[in-house]
Amino acid sequence: MTKQIQLDRVKFWIDNGVLFCKVQNSNNGQVIKKDNINDYVKAIAALSCGEYYPLLIDFRDVDNKDTIAQVRLLANNTELKSVILSKSFVVNSAFMQFMLVVLHGIYDPIIPNKVFKSFESAFQYSVEINQIFNAHS
């Protein structure tokens, strides 16, 4: 069984060389808060045991109004950049995907950030990032 870490409404686990983060909806707004980022980084470090993995964050169950702020918070967080290879975000609509790209809230010249509507596409992208990294290390 894969080891999982649950922090409030956010669950982390590693499978097939990809670090997954599943965010569940909250009735009282934003699930991921700036104050909790250190806890997420610690969870990622505990799961990855010093290895680097692409992070796939699934926001499909989160309301659109909360998704933008949460994706931008994670996309631009310096603490996360030190423990992962890339970030892929899966959102629940093409509109949300478009909004995040247009708002440039995910741009990062160092750690690639991409937004997908399809979980399968995000997973494939993450696997490819991991394969490229492992081929060069």
Side-chain angles (χ1 to χ4, degrees), residues 46-104:
L47 284 171
S48 61
C49 300
E51 301 285 326
Y52 292 97
Y53 294 96
L55 177 62
L56 191 158
I57 306 166
D58 187 350
F59 278 107
R60 290 178 294 174
D61 293 338
V62 178
D63 290 336
N64 283 346
K65 63 184 173 91
D66 297 323
T67 301
I68 292 174
Q70 293 180 78
V71 168
R72 290 179 87 180
L73 176 67
L74 291 172
N76 298 312
N77 187 276
T78 56
E79 290 87 10
L80 280 177
K81 292 177 187 180
S82 66
V83 294
I84 59 170
L85 293 176
S86 66
K87 288 177 248 155
S88 303
F89 301 96
V90 182
V91 295
N92 58 12
S93 70
F95 172 75
M96 185 55 54
Q97 181 183 16
F98 174 76
M99 288 299 296
L100 288 165
V101 172
V102 168
L103 291 172
H104 298 289

